[in-house]
C-alpha cells in the first residue's frame, strides 16, 4: 500500500503564491499555483503590475512623440520595438526609406536581438542557480550597449528610429568597434558552450523539461524562438520579409524537442545567424542620407495597418488606425511576451515546482511588454 | 484542405457563402472583410479549417464612437504568407462578440484584454475577467469617452 492510499494520511492541495517580488519571475509577475505535493495542478497568471496604458498614451501623442515609448515595452529590445512602430507608420504613409537607413536598421535590429538573447541566456543560468554565466553574457551585452550609446546616446531607451529613417548617421568610430565586437564573438560562443550548454547540471535541469510541442505552441499563438525550438521554422524575416531582409542570406535555427534546453540553445544559434546578417549588412552598407524627406508634422492618411516584425521574443505587431490627424486614433501593440505568458499555465501543468521556475525563465518574457 | 488558395479567392469564396452578412472593406491597405456578428464564428471557422488561415495573429478592438465598437481580428497562414483582417461591429450599449477561444486558445488572453480595455463581452469565453487592470477598476480606459483622472 502506498503512502497516499493510507487512510490515515490526508492529502490536500496547496495554493502557493509565486511572486510578484520573487526574483525568478523577472519583474512583477505573479502566479497562483495549485500544488499537489510538488506537482503543479493549476496555474493562474496575475499580470498588470507594470501596466502604464501605452495604448491610451499613444492616442494623446503625435506619431513622432510616441517613438520613445516602445523602448519601454520590452526594455531589453528597444531597437526592435521602435523599428516595428516606425515601419507600421511608414506603411500607412507610403514612405520610402533611404537605402543607408535600411541597412543601419538591420544592423541595429540584429544587434538588439543578440543583446536581448544575452539577457535571457544570462538570467536563465542565474535562475537555475549558476551565477557565473550571467557575467559572461552580460560582458558581451555591454559591448552592444556601448555601440548603441555611440549612435543614440542611450543604452536601453534609445529613441533612435525615426519615421522615414534613423535619427543620425553612424559616428566614424562605430564600424571599427562593431567589427571588433564581431571578431570577439566566436570565442564567446565557445565559452558559452563550455560554461553552460555543456554543463551536466544544466542539462539535467533543462532536458525534457517544460516541453511545449509545435501544435500546442501554434494554437496558443506562441511565436519566435519558443516556437522554433519546438520544430517549426516560422520566422517573419523569411516568411514575410520586412525592410530589406530579403537581401540577406541566413538560416533559421530549428530544434525539435521544444524543451527548456532547446529554448536556451536556439537563442545562441540565432545570435550566430544575427552575426551573419550584420556582416553582410556592413559589407553592403551604401552611402547616402539616413532619413527620408517626410513632412514635419506626420499626418498619415485615413486608414489602418497591421504591421508585424520578428522581435526577439516572437511576432511583434502594431495595429495603427489613423483618422487623418497628427495623433493615432488607435494604436494596438501585440506583444509576443503577453501571448507567451498566456501559454505558461498550459506549459507548466503537471511539472514539479523547480521545473516551473526553469520553464518560466525559458520562455523569456519581459513584463514591460506583457503589461504594456 | 488546400492551403494554397490566394487571399482574393478566399474572400470571393466567403462572399459566395455569406452574400448578405459579409462585405469586403473597400480602400483598405490590407485585405479585410467586415462580417455580421451572427456569422462571425462561422467565418472564422471556415478561415481556419477550409482556407488554412489557421494562425491567430492578433485580436483587438477599436472604439468607433456612436457607432459602437469594432472587433478586429487578424488571422494568417505562414506558408504561403497570407494575412486577413476580419472586422465585426457591435453596438455601444451592449457590445457582444462571439469568443474565439474554442478555435484558438491564443484568443483567451487577448479577449480578456479587449474586455478589460473596452468592456466588450466575448460570448463563450470561459473566464472573462479583467487581466491588466485591477478587479475594482471602474470604467474601460480605451473607450474614447473615458476620462483619465487628471482630466476629470
Amino acid at each position: 500500500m502506498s503512502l497516499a492510499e493510507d487512510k490515515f494520511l490526508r492529502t490536500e492541495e496547496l495554493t502557493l503564491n509565486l511572486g510578484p517580488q520573487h526574483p525568478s519571475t523577472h519583474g512583477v509577475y505573479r502566479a497562483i499555483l495549485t500544488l499537489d505535493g510538488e506537482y503543479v495542478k493549476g496555474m493562474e497568471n496575475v499580470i498588470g503590475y507594470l501596466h502604464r496604458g501605452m495604448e491610451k498614451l499613444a492616442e494623446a501623442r503625435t506619431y513622432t512623440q510616441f517613438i520613445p515609448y516602445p523602448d519601454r515595452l520590452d526594455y531589453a529590445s528597444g531597437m526592435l520595438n521602435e523599428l516595428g512602430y516606425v515601419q507600421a507608420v511608414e506603411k500607412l504613409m507610403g514612405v520610402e526609406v533611404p537605402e543607408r537607413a535600411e541597412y543601419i536598421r538591420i544592423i541595429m535590429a540584429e544587434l538588439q536581438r543578440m543583446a536581448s538573447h544575452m539577457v535571457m541566456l544570462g538570467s536563465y543560468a542565474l535562475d537555475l542557480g549558476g551565477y557565473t554565466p550571467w557575467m559572461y553574457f552580460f560582458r558581451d551585452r555591454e559591448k552592444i550597449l556601448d555601440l548603441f550609446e555611440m549612435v543614440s546616446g542611450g543604452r536601453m531607451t534609445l529613441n533612435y528610429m525615426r519615421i522615414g529613417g534613423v535619427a543620425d548617421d553612424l559616428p566614424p568610430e562605430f564600424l571599427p568597434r562593431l567589427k571588433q565586437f564581431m571578431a570577439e564573438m566566436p570565442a564567446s560562443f565557445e565559452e558559452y558552450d563550455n560554461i553552460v550548454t555543456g554543463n551536466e547540471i544544466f542539462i539535467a535541469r533543462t532536458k525534457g523539461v517544460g516541453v511545449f510541442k509545435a501544435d500546442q505552441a501554434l494554437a496558443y499563438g506562441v511565436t519566435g524562438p519558443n516556437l522554433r525550438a519546438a520544430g517549426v521554422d516560422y520566422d517573419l524575416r523569411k516568411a514575410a520579409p520586412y525592410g530589406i531582409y530579403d537581401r540577406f542570406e541566413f538560416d533559421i535555427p530549428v530544434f525539435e524537442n521544444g524543451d527548456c534546453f532547446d529554448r536556451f540553445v536556439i537563442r545562441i544559434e540565432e545570435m550566430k545567424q544575427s552575426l551573419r546578417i550584420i556582416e553582410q549588412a556592413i559589407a553592403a552598407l551604401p552611402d547616402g542620407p539616413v532619413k527620408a524627406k517626410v513632412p514635419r508634422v506626420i499626418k498619415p492618411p485615413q486608414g489602418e495597418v497591421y504591421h508585424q516584425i520578428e522581435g526577439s521574443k516572437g511576432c511583434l505587431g502594431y495595429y495603427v488606425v489613423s483618422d487623418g490627424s497628427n495623433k493615432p486614433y488607435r494604436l494596438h501593440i501585440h506583444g509576443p511576451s503577453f501571448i507567451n505568458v498566456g501559454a505558461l499555465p498550459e506549459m507548466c501543468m503537471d511539472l514539479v515546482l523547480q521545473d516551473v521556475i526553469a520553464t518560466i525563465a525559458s520562455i523569456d518574457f519581459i513584463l514591460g511588454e506583457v503589461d504594456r | 484542405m488546400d492551403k494554397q488558395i490566394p487571399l482574393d479567392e478566399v474572400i470571393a469564396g466567403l462572399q459566395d457563402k455569406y452574400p448578405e452578412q459579409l462585405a469586403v472593406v473597400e480602400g483598405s491597405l490590407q485585405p479585410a472583410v467586415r462580417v455580421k456578428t451572427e456569422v462571425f464564428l462561422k467565418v472564422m471557422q471556415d478561415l481556419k479549417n477550409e482556407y488554412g488561415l489557421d494562425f491567430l495573429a492578433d485580436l483587438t478592438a477599436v472604439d468607433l464612437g456612436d457607432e459602437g465598437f469594432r472587433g478586429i481580428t487578424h488571422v494568417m497562414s505562414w506558408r504561403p504568407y497570407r494575412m486577413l483582417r476580419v472586422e465585426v461591429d457591435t453596438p455601444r450599449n451592449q457590445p457582444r462578440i462571439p469568443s474565439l477561444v474554442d478555435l484558438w486558445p491564443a484568443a483567451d488572453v487577448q479577449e480578456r484584454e479587449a474586455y478589460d480595455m473596452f468592456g466588450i463581452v466575448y460570448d463563450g469565453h470561459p473566464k472573462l475577467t479583467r487581466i491588466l487592470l485591477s478587479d475594482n477598476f471602474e470604467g474601460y480606459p480605451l473607450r474614447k469617452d473615458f476620462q483619465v483622472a487628471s482630466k476629470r
Side-chain angles (χ1 to χ4, degrees):
Chain A
M1 187 164 61
S2 75
L3 279 175
E5 285 163 335
D6 190 329
K7 62 181 177 199
F8 299 113
L9 274 181
R10 196 167 56 93
T11 61
E12 192 178 331
E13 284 194 338
L14 173 82
T15 306
L16 180 78
N17 242 320
L18 183 71
Q21 300 96 348
H22 195 273
S24 72
T25 56
H26 294 257
V28 278
Y29 162 78
R30 174 177 156 217
I32 303 171
L33 300 167
T34 309
L35 297 175
D36 177 13
E38 274 216 68
Y39 289 91
V40 174
K41 292 294 164 195
M43 182 175 182
E44 195 188 328
N45 290 323
V46 183
I47 54 176
Y49 294 100
L50 210 57
H51 180 65
R52 292 146 294 174
M54 286 282 185
E55 297 178 6
K56 188 75 176 175
L57 283 167
E59 292 173 13
R61 305 281 180 283
T62 65
Y63 286 92
T64 316
Q65 278 174 337
F66 189 70
I67 295 174
Y69 285 80
D71 287 334
R72 280 124 181 115
L73 290 168
D74 170 0
Y75 33 75
S77 54
M79 284 287 187
L80 287 160
N81 299 343
E82 287 177 21
L83 179 66
Y85 170 68
V86 296
Q87 282 190 335
V89 179
E90 283 160 8
K91 215 179 208 179
L92 201 54
M93 296 175 72
V95 173
E96 193 89 11
V97 179
E99 281 284 292
R100 186 174 173 83
E102 289 277 26
Y103 278 91
I104 293 176
R105 281 179 174 187
I106 296 280
I107 294 173
M108 296 305 161
E110 292 307 318
L111 278 175
Q112 185 71 80
R113 192 182 313 280
M114 294 178 74
S116 168
H117 284 355
M118 284 169 186
V119 174
M120 182 275 176
L121 299 164
S123 55
Y124 190 58
L126 192 62
D127 280 346
L128 297 185
Y131 186 75
T132 317
W134 164 277
M135 292 299 179
Y136 286 79
F137 290 110
F138 271 61
R139 171 200 65 198
D140 293 333
R141 174 173 178 261
E142 205 60 22
K143 296 173 192 164
I144 299 180
L145 297 192
D146 285 344
L147 288 166
F148 285 164
E149 197 173 354
M150 273 182 204
V151 297
S152 73
R155 294 167 69 80
M156 288 172 81
T157 48
L158 308 146
N159 193 12
Y160 182 61
M161 299 288 169
R162 290 290 181 275
I163 294 159
V166 294
D168 272 304
D169 205 345
L170 303 172
E173 65 273 23
F174 179 84
L175 284 178
R177 279 287 284 278
L178 175 59
K179 282 175 188 160
Q180 191 194 337
F181 163 75
M182 292 173 64
E184 288 163 1
M185 273 316 282
S188 293
F189 286 131
E190 224 163 279
E191 280 179 341
Y192 298 165
D193 277 346
N194 289 337
I195 198 166
V196 195
T197 29
N199 182 303
E200 209 171 307
I201 303 170
F202 179 80
I203 293 171
R205 284 291 309 270
T206 53
K207 275 258 183 194
V209 169
V211 175
F212 210 47
K213 287 287 175 203
D215 49 342
Q216 267 177 314
L218 285 169
Y220 273 88
V222 172
T223 47
N226 297 329
L227 176 65
R228 294 191 284 273
V232 188
D233 63 340
Y234 290 166
D235 187 315
L236 282 171
R237 290 174 294 172
K238 286 270 192 209
Y242 50 92
I244 52 166
Y245 269 107
D246 47 352
R247 298 184 200 170
F248 298 96
E249 231 176 83
F250 60 101
D251 299 321
I252 307 290
V254 180
F255 286 70
E256 50 193 31
N257 299 323
D259 56 6
C260 289
F261 184 79
D262 283 1
R263 286 196 284 272
F264 183 90
V265 181
I266 197 165
R267 287 177 164 89
I268 297 181
E269 294 303 316
E270 287 198 356
M271 279 160 59
K272 292 177 186 166
Q273 297 302 323
S274 291
L275 279 182
R276 268 179 81 186
I277 298 174
I278 297 171
E279 207 166 309
Q280 294 167 50
I282 296 175
L285 186 66
D287 288 330
V290 293
K291 205 166 170 234
K293 283 195 167 54
V294 290
R296 192 159 279 271
V297 179
I298 303 281
K299 277 188 181 177
Q302 265 194 20
E304 56 210 291
V305 76
Y306 183 67
H307 179 67
Q308 47 184 3
I309 68 164
E310 186 69 32
S312 55
K313 285 143 188 94
C315 290
L316 171 68
Y318 286 88
Y319 178 63
V320 188
V321 183
S322 166
D323 59 355
S325 74
N326 61 350
K327 293 173 186 159
Y329 181 79
R330 166 97 173 98
L331 177 75
H332 173 66
I333 303 153
H334 179 90
S337 293
F338 181 59
I339 305 299
N340 294 349
V341 164
L344 249 187
E346 179 72 17
M347 276 172 152
C348 293
M349 203 54 87
D350 295 323
L351 295 182
V352 292
L353 187 55
Q354 61 165 359
D355 289 347
V356 171
I357 303 293
T359 306
I360 287 177
S362 76
I363 66 164
D364 184 25
F365 58 85
I366 296 276
L367 267 303
E369 188 177 71
V370 175
D371 298 339
R372 280 156 288 150
Chain B
M1 283 295 156
D2 189 4
K3 292 191 172 188
Q4 306 292 323
I5 311 170
L7 211 48
D8 45 352
E9 284 175 35
V10 173
I11 296 171
L14 285 172
Q15 265 183 312
D16 283 346
K17 197 166 171 189
Y18 308 101
E20 296 290 312
Q21 298 99 337
L22 183 138
V24 178
V25 180
E26 300 292 342
S28 173
L29 269 178
Q30 293 163 320
V33 293
R34 191 168 300 154
V35 303
K36 294 238 164 72
T37 322
E38 61 264 26
V39 294
F40 176 63
L41 206 54
K42 281 194 194 130
V43 170
M44 297 314 276
Q45 268 164 354
D46 288 352
L47 283 170
K48 184 188 175 194
N49 300 327
E50 310 275 323
Y51 297 109
L53 285 141
D54 52 4
F55 188 80
L56 182 69
D58 182 48
L59 188 153
T60 184
V62 177
D63 186 348
L64 302 175
D66 294 336
E67 294 155 53
F69 301 102
R70 179 165 293 162
I72 306 282
T73 313
H74 286 90
V75 284
M76 63 183 267
S77 66
W78 283 87
R79 195 169 293 135
Y81 181 80
R82 298 169 299 171
M83 190 166 67
L84 179 69
R85 184 172 80 238
V86 183
E87 307 180 345
V88 55
D89 288 356
T90 182
R92 195 172 192 86
N93 53 6
Q94 233 190 3
R96 300 186 89 91
I97 296 174
S99 168
L100 299 177
V101 173
D102 287 341
L103 289 173
W104 290 282
D108 186 340
V109 288
Q110 302 184 64
E111 285 176 355
R112 277 180 69 188
E113 190 197 349
Y115 165 75
D116 204 356
M117 298 294 157
F118 290 96
I120 297 171
V121 176
Y122 288 88
D123 286 317
H125 191 289
K127 192 179 180 234
L128 198 64
T129 51
R130 287 198 183 267
I131 184 164
L132 294 178
L133 302 172
S134 59
D135 291 338
N136 56 4
F137 191 90
E138 276 175 40
Y140 301 103
L142 280 181
R143 288 188 177 188
K144 289 285 177 186
D145 52 11
F146 180 85
Q147 291 287 311
V148 290
S150 60
K151 286 185 182 166
R152 261 176 199 159

Coordinates of all heavy atoms in Angstrom, one line a residue, chain A residues 56-85:
Chain A
K56 N -3.3 53.9 -24.6 CA -4.1 55.1 -24.3 C -3.1 56.3 -24.5 O -3.5 57.3 -25.0 CB -4.7 55.0 -22.9 CG -5.6 56.2 -22.6 CD -7.0 56.0 -23.3 CE -7.9 57.1 -22.9 NZ -9.2 57.0 -23.6
L57 N -1.9 56.2 -24.0 CA -1.0 57.3 -24.1 C -0.7 57.7 -25.5 O -0.6 58.8 -25.9 CB 0.4 56.9 -23.4 CG 0.5 56.9 -21.9 CD1 1.7 56.1 -21.5 CD2 0.5 58.3 -21.4
A58 N -0.7 56.6 -26.4 CA -0.4 56.9 -27.8 C -1.5 57.8 -28.4 O -1.2 58.6 -29.3 CB -0.3 55.6 -28.6
E59 N -2.7 57.7 -27.9 CA -3.8 58.5 -28.5 C -3.6 60.0 -28.2 O -4.3 60.8 -28.8 CB -5.1 57.9 -28.0 CG -5.4 56.6 -28.6 CD -6.7 55.9 -28.0 OE1 -7.5 56.7 -27.4 OE2 -6.9 54.7 -28.2
A60 N -2.8 60.3 -27.2 CA -2.6 61.7 -26.8 C -1.3 62.2 -27.3 O -0.8 63.3 -26.8 CB -2.8 61.8 -25.3
R61 N -0.5 61.4 -28.0 CA 0.8 61.8 -28.5 C 0.8 61.9 -30.0 O 0.0 61.2 -30.7 CB 1.9 60.8 -28.1 CG 2.0 60.5 -26.6 CD 2.7 61.6 -25.9 NE 2.8 61.3 -24.4 CZ 1.8 61.5 -23.6 NH1 0.6 61.8 -24.0 NH2 2.0 61.2 -22.3
T62 N 1.6 62.8 -30.6 CA 1.8 62.7 -32.0 C 2.5 61.5 -32.4 O 3.2 60.9 -31.6 CB 2.5 64.0 -32.6 OG1 3.8 64.0 -32.1 CG2 1.8 65.3 -32.1
Y63 N 2.5 61.2 -33.7 CA 3.2 60.0 -34.2 C 4.7 60.0 -33.8 O 5.3 59.0 -33.4 CB 3.0 59.8 -35.7 CG 1.6 59.3 -36.0 CD1 0.7 60.3 -36.4 CD2 1.3 58.0 -36.1 CE1 -0.6 59.8 -36.7 CE2 0.0 57.6 -36.4 CZ -0.9 58.5 -36.7 OH -2.2 58.1 -37.0
T64 N 5.3 61.2 -33.9 CA 6.7 61.3 -33.6 C 7.0 61.2 -32.1 O 7.9 60.6 -31.7 CB 7.3 62.6 -34.2 OG1 6.8 62.8 -35.5 CG2 8.8 62.6 -34.2
Q65 N 6.1 61.8 -31.4 CA 6.3 61.8 -29.9 C 6.2 60.4 -29.3 O 6.7 60.2 -28.3 CB 5.2 62.7 -29.3 CG 5.5 64.1 -29.2 CD 4.3 64.9 -28.7 OE1 3.1 64.5 -28.7 NE2 4.6 66.1 -28.3
F66 N 5.5 59.5 -30.0 CA 5.4 58.2 -29.5 C 6.6 57.3 -29.6 O 6.8 56.3 -29.0 CB 4.2 57.5 -30.1 CG 3.8 56.2 -29.4 CD1 3.3 56.2 -28.1 CD2 4.1 55.0 -30.0 CE1 3.0 55.0 -27.4 CE2 3.7 53.8 -29.3 CZ 3.2 53.8 -28.0
I67 N 7.6 57.7 -30.5 CA 8.7 56.8 -30.8 C 9.5 56.4 -29.5 O 9.9 55.2 -29.5 CB 9.7 57.5 -31.8 CG1 8.9 57.7 -33.1 CG2 10.9 56.7 -32.0 CD1 9.7 58.5 -34.2
P68 N 9.7 57.2 -28.5 CA 10.4 56.7 -27.3 C 9.6 55.7 -26.5 O 10.2 54.9 -25.7 CB 10.7 57.9 -26.5 CG 10.4 59.1 -27.3 CD 9.4 58.7 -28.4
Y69 N 8.4 55.6 -26.7 CA 7.6 54.8 -25.8 C 7.8 53.3 -26.0 O 7.9 52.5 -25.1 CB 6.1 55.1 -25.9 CG 5.7 56.4 -25.2 CD1 6.0 57.6 -25.8 CD2 5.2 56.4 -23.9 CE1 5.7 58.8 -25.1 CE2 4.8 57.5 -23.3 CZ 5.1 58.8 -23.8 OH 4.8 59.9 -23.2
P70 N 7.9 52.8 -27.3 CA 8.1 51.4 -27.5 C 9.4 50.9 -26.8 O 9.5 49.7 -26.4 CB 8.3 51.3 -29.0 CG 7.5 52.4 -29.5 CD 7.7 53.5 -28.6
D71 N 10.4 51.8 -26.6 CA 11.6 51.4 -25.8 C 11.2 50.8 -24.5 O 11.9 50.0 -23.9 CB 12.5 52.6 -25.6 CG 13.2 53.1 -26.8 OD1 13.4 52.2 -27.7 OD2 13.5 54.3 -26.9
R72 N 10.1 51.3 -24.0 CA 9.8 50.9 -22.6 C 8.8 49.8 -22.6 O 8.3 49.4 -21.5 CB 9.1 52.1 -21.9 CG 10.2 53.1 -21.4 CD 10.0 54.5 -21.9 NE 11.0 55.4 -21.4 CZ 11.9 56.0 -22.2 NH1 11.9 55.8 -23.5 NH2 12.7 56.9 -21.8
L73 N 8.5 49.2 -23.7 CA 7.7 48.0 -23.7 C 8.6 46.8 -23.3 O 8.6 46.5 -22.1 CB 7.1 47.7 -25.2 CG 6.1 48.7 -25.7 CD1 5.9 48.5 -27.1 CD2 4.8 48.5 -24.9
D74 N 9.2 46.2 -24.3 CA 10.2 45.2 -23.9 C 11.5 45.9 -23.8 O 12.2 46.2 -24.8 CB 10.2 44.2 -25.1 CG 11.4 43.2 -24.9 OD1 12.1 43.4 -24.0 OD2 11.5 42.3 -25.8
Y75 N 11.9 46.3 -22.6 CA 13.0 47.2 -22.4 C 14.3 46.5 -22.6 O 15.4 47.1 -22.5 CB 13.0 47.8 -21.0 CG 12.4 46.9 -19.9 CD1 13.1 45.9 -19.4 CD2 11.1 47.1 -19.4 CE1 12.6 45.0 -18.5 CE2 10.6 46.3 -18.5 CZ 11.3 45.3 -18.0 OH 10.8 44.4 -17.1
A76 N 14.3 45.2 -23.0 CA 15.6 44.6 -23.4 C 15.8 44.6 -24.9 O 16.8 44.1 -25.4 CB 15.6 43.1 -22.8
S77 N 14.8 45.1 -25.6 CA 15.0 45.1 -27.1 C 14.3 46.4 -27.7 O 13.4 46.3 -28.5 CB 14.5 43.9 -27.8 OG 13.2 43.6 -27.4
G78 N 14.8 47.5 -27.2 CA 14.2 48.8 -27.7 C 14.2 49.0 -29.2 O 13.3 49.5 -29.8
M79 N 15.4 48.7 -29.8 CA 15.5 49.0 -31.2 C 14.5 48.2 -32.0 O 13.9 48.8 -33.0 CB 16.9 48.5 -31.7 CG 18.0 49.4 -31.3 SD 18.0 51.0 -32.3 CE 19.6 51.7 -31.7
L80 N 14.2 47.0 -31.7 CA 13.3 46.2 -32.4 C 11.9 46.8 -32.2 O 11.1 46.8 -33.2 CB 13.3 44.7 -31.9 CG 14.5 43.9 -32.4 CD1 14.7 42.7 -31.5 CD2 14.4 43.5 -33.8
N81 N 11.5 47.2 -31.0 CA 10.2 47.7 -30.8 C 10.0 49.0 -31.6 O 8.9 49.2 -32.1 CB 10.0 48.0 -29.3 CG 10.2 46.8 -28.4 OD1 10.1 45.7 -28.9 ND2 10.4 47.0 -27.2
E82 N 11.0 49.9 -31.6 CA 10.9 51.1 -32.3 C 10.8 50.8 -33.8 O 10.0 51.4 -34.5 CB 12.2 52.0 -32.1 CG 12.3 52.6 -30.8 CD 13.6 53.4 -30.7 OE1 14.2 53.7 -31.7 OE2 14.0 53.6 -29.5
L83 N 11.5 49.9 -34.3 CA 11.5 49.5 -35.7 C 10.1 49.1 -36.1 O 9.6 49.6 -37.1 CB 12.5 48.4 -36.0 CG 12.6 47.9 -37.4 CD1 13.1 49.0 -38.3 CD2 13.4 46.7 -37.5
G84 N 9.5 48.3 -35.3 CA 8.1 47.8 -35.7 C 7.2 49.0 -35.7 O 6.4 49.1 -36.7
Y85 N 7.3 49.9 -34.8 CA 6.4 51.0 -34.8 C 6.6 52.0 -36.0 O 5.6 52.3 -36.7 CB 6.5 51.8 -33.5 CG 5.8 53.1 -33.5 CD1 4.4 53.2 -33.5 CD2 6.5 54.3 -33.5 CE1 3.8 54.4 -33.5 CE2 5.8 55.5 -33.5 CZ 4.5 55.6 -33.6 OH 3.8 56.7 -33.6

